[in-house]
Amino acid sequence: MIRAFEGGIASHCGAVLPDGCVVDVSFAKGTHVWEMGEFLRRRELVADIEIALPDEDAALAYAQKAIDEHHEYDILDVLSFLAWRDIGIAGRDVCSGFLLRMALAGGLVTAER
């Protein structure tokens, strides 16, 4: 749905952890850690983007907290993306929102900050 709406080539994203596993948020599993091979069997890799963060440890701590709390998938967040409104639920995530919050925790600076 998101790919059709925005016209992009990707429909999902995950973050590669230092041990080579991938953390993501999906409708079926919520926040989940995958072995790289299992993640790639379920998804087509269309881009591999590396983002340098000032504090990778803080980004990993954010991800670990979400893994420990097992955030569920937030279907309302997908709808908010389509409606350009924030109607998501705290403690729930979608893949792109999770990765953005992980990068912000690691010190990524955006134009809005």
Side-chain angles (χ1 to χ4, degrees):
M1 181 169 48
I2 291 173
R3 183 175 16 187
F5 177 76
E6 71 170 6
I9 60 172
S11 63
H12 191 72
C13 54
V16 179
L17 301 173
D19 64 1
C21 290
V22 178
V23 61
D24 75 345
V25 181
S26 67
F27 183 75
K29 298 271 189 181
T31 305
H32 189 75
V33 178
W34 303 88
E35 295 289 329
M36 178 65 78
E38 181 67 17
F39 181 80
L40 292 176
R41 277 191 288 283
R42 296 171 175 272
R43 309 280 182 202
E44 176 187 2
L45 181 62
V46 295
D48 184 4
I49 301 167
E50 185 171 334
I51 300 172
L53 298 174
D55 190 350
E56 279 192 20
D57 290 339
L60 292 171
Y62 177 87
Q64 187 61 56
K65 182 177 181 198
I67 293 163
D68 293 345
E69 293 175 356
H70 191 72
H71 288 186
E72 294 180 37
Y73 189 81
D74 188 0
I75 192 68
L76 287 177
D77 203 28
V78 172
L79 297 175
S80 71
F81 172 79
L82 298 174
W84 297 101
R85 293 181 51 218
D86 182 11
I87 57 175
I89 299 172
R92 294 184 176 214
D93 282 307
V94 295
C95 59
S96 58
F98 170 72
L99 290 187
L100 176 59
R101 285 185 286 283
M102 186 179 168
L104 290 171
L108 177 73
V109 177
T110 67
E112 292 183 15
R113 279 186 136 177

